[in-house]
Amino acid sequence: MDKWTFGITMLVAGMGGTIATLALFSIIMSLLKKIFPYKQEEE
Amino acid sequence: MLDAIINGLSGLIAGTLNLHWSNPIMMLIGGILLYLGIKKDFEPLLLVPIGFGCIIVNIPLADLMEKDGFLRVIYDMGIMTELFPLLIFVGIGAMTDFRPVLENPYTFLLGAAGQFGIFLTLLLALAIGFPYKDAVTIGIIGACDGPTVIYVASQYAPHLLGACSVAAYSYMSLVPMLQPPIMKILTTKKERETIMKTHKKTVSKTTALLFPIVITIVGGLIAPKGLPLLATIMLGNLMKESGVVSRLTKAAENEISNIVTLLLGISIGATMSGPVFFKPQTLIILCLGLLAICLDTVCGVLFGKILYYITGGKINPLIGAAGISAFPMSARVVQKEGQKYNKKNYLLMHAMGANAGGQVGSVMAAAVMLSVLKGMGVI
């Protein structure tokens, strides 16, 4: 594998994977907030 | 008898006679690191032991980094086993409040955008001619996260550990100087003046408690090679959020973090021996590291601008600059810059969200990178 194939793969899979994972985290945490809403009495 | 006395006296000047030309220069660099830590308050907890370690490892014939030398023992025990950065992560997890990112989960995306510098710098390092694993290690400086850099460097490019760690910690401390000009260049006055609404508390205790568990499982399944990084930071956060192991949380925040920081710092300093460290390659790494952190800021702010236009001007693009791992320094920079252009602007909580997202983002970027490398058969 030449260095450009390696570099572009890292950029696409690495950065793409990072964005996709964090987007998934964002969706999961939004769902959890809906399932377990904040209640005032928790204070 | 005279010979014996001369031989005995020669032992006292052997150290000086064996000085390599690079040793005094490295001692000076160690002195500069001490100056930055002590006088300028730049990451003193790390720069002081690193600077001192750098000075003592450049004294010839002390054999500190030879087999059974005391620095070698610490280095092998904590750095080569990856134990120190992981223990530091438990402490970071225990100290970090992730609720701001949970209040606004979209800020996870700003944390992702703030990692672009890693991959762009990796490409640049490859173009310059660094081997694959070295390029990956140099790129990871863009995570702006010392323990992550040490974790990756110790595994895949131990010979770059000193340069990469010093770059990461030095530039992290320079964030208040590096980011504002970039933020100003990339945004218009109108964008910088955007006022963001403050939100009421929306995160329940259950959600905060589930966060570290869910993130560990999901993140670990996606990027198993980086699970040690993710799991340790999340363990620290779980201890903090659970509230039932306050002794362990306090130990992770204080005793464990303090002891490991000391040993970690002196071990990094110990890798800065003149003949090993003083190469043109080190200068290139320091330049690439600086570029990586600037590119993170550029990409974060540009992503912030995209969100500004998508939301019809509801998001101040400056908060994108906080999508890096320098927590909470970067968020404070955003707050300060925001207020500079609009006194009524309170961006801190939004920026803290992006900053906490950047903390998770940097760990995930390293984890994803390692898993992609594993998938490609490079590691």
Side-chain angles (χ1 to χ4, degrees):
Chain A
M1 175 173 36
D2 69 277
K3 66 180 180 184
W4 291 117
T5 309
F6 174 76
I8 299 297
T9 307
M10 287 304 293
L11 183 66
V12 174
M15 196 60 227
T18 304
I19 292 173
T21 308
L22 288 168
L24 184 62
F25 287 173
S26 172
I27 293 165
I28 291 172
M29 294 322 297
S30 299
L31 285 175
L32 280 176
K33 280 175 69 179
K34 288 218 167 19
I35 297 167
F36 303 105
Y38 176 77
K39 295 186 186 98
Q40 196 64 42
E41 57 266 30
E42 281 186 14
E43 284 294 302
Chain B
M1 192 174 122
L2 187 63
D3 282 350
I5 292 171
I6 290 171
N7 286 339
L9 288 175
S10 70
L12 296 179
I13 56 167
T16 312
L17 291 177
N18 278 280
L19 269 176
H20 186 264
W21 63 268
S22 60
N23 291 137
I25 298 173
M26 289 308 297
M27 285 185 203
L28 187 65
I29 291 173
I32 293 170
L33 294 178
L34 286 177
Y35 173 78
L36 291 175
I38 296 167
K39 282 284 179 190
K40 297 288 177 184
D41 206 29
F42 288 175
E43 298 282 342
L45 291 178
L46 276 148
L47 290 192
V48 170
I50 290 176
F52 198 75
C54 175
I55 289 173
I56 60 175
V57 83
N58 281 288
I59 295 174
L61 306 183
D63 296 338
L64 300 178
M65 279 298 274
E66 298 304 314
K67 189 175 178 290
D68 296 333
F70 100 93
L71 290 181
R72 170 59 67 183
V73 172
I74 298 172
Y75 180 84
D76 287 346
M77 179 188 70
I79 303 278
M80 292 315 288
T81 58
E82 302 147 20
L83 194 61
F84 286 168
L86 297 179
L87 286 173
I88 290 278
F89 262 138
V90 179
I92 291 174
M95 283 182 245
T96 307
D97 183 6
F98 285 105
R99 281 172 193 253
V101 72
L102 302 182
E103 297 283 356
N104 299 297
Y106 78 88
T107 51
F108 271 116
L109 294 174
L110 290 166
Q115 313 309 318
F116 255 108
I118 297 175
F119 298 94
L120 296 174
T121 308
L122 188 157
L123 276 181
L124 205 56
L126 283 172
I128 290 172
F130 281 97
Y132 293 170
K133 289 181 190 174
D134 289 11
V136 166
T137 306
I138 294 166
I140 214 78
I141 299 172
C144 214
D145 189 285
T148 304
V149 172
I150 294 164
Y151 181 84
V152 174
S154 64
Q155 282 192 75
Y156 304 112
H159 56 288
L160 302 183
L161 182 68
C164 289
S165 310
V166 168
Y169 282 114
S170 307
Y171 297 144
M172 264 168 66
S173 64
L174 292 177
V175 158
M177 277 182 262
L178 295 175
Q179 287 200 314
I182 298 172
M183 290 156 77
K184 190 176 178 185
I185 290 167
L186 294 178
T187 52
T188 62
K189 190 167 179 286
K190 189 184 168 200
E191 287 168 349
R192 290 193 292 272
E193 287 175 347
T194 306
I195 291 179
M196 291 181 73
K197 285 180 186 167
T198 49
H199 295 279
K200 289 178 184 171
K201 278 186 179 175
T202 56
V203 180
S204 66
K205 183 160 177 59
T206 311
T207 307
L209 204 54
L210 284 172
F211 166 73
I213 302 168
V214 171
I215 296 296
T216 303
I217 296 170
V218 176
L221 286 171
I222 293 171
K225 279 297 282 178
L227 184 60
L229 292 169
L230 193 60
T232 44
I233 196 167
M234 289 301 148
L235 170 65
N237 188 247
L238 178 63
M239 294 193 309
K240 172 190 163 72
E241 291 297 341
S242 72
V244 294
V245 286
S246 56
R247 278 169 55 195
L248 298 186
T249 310
K250 280 179 187 160
E253 282 178 8
N254 300 301
E255 291 86 353
I256 295 173
S257 285
N258 290 344
I259 293 168
V260 176
T261 300
L262 169 64
L263 298 177
L264 185 75
I266 203 162
S267 308
I268 294 168
T271 63
M272 296 169 70
S273 161
V276 179
F277 193 85
F278 209 80
K279 296 175 186 166
Q281 186 192 44
T282 305
L283 196 61
I284 296 171
I285 291 170
L286 293 176
C287 292
L288 286 174
L290 179 64
L291 187 69
I293 291 173
C294 292
L295 284 172
D296 284 341
T297 308
V298 169
C299 295
V301 174
L302 290 179
F303 192 73
K305 279 173 82 91
I306 292 172
L307 291 181
Y308 172 84
Y309 288 111
I310 289 175
T311 59
K314 287 180 183 160
I315 291 177
N316 190 318
L318 291 182
I319 67 166
I324 61 171
S325 182
F327 187 92
M329 197 189 298
S330 191
R332 287 187 192 139
V333 171
V334 170
Q335 161 71 6
K336 196 176 161 195
E337 289 300 302
Q339 282 218 317
K340 197 192 281 180
Y341 299 101
N342 187 344
K343 294 268 180 258
K344 292 176 187 165
N345 220 345
Y346 290 93
L347 297 175
L348 188 63
M349 280 318 284
H350 298 279
M352 287 290 263
N355 216 177
Q359 185 84 57
V360 178
S362 67
V363 172
M364 253 348 278
V368 166
M369 191 184 244
L370 294 180
S371 291
V372 171
L373 288 172
K374 176 80 175 167
M376 292 165 79
V378 175
I379 58 173

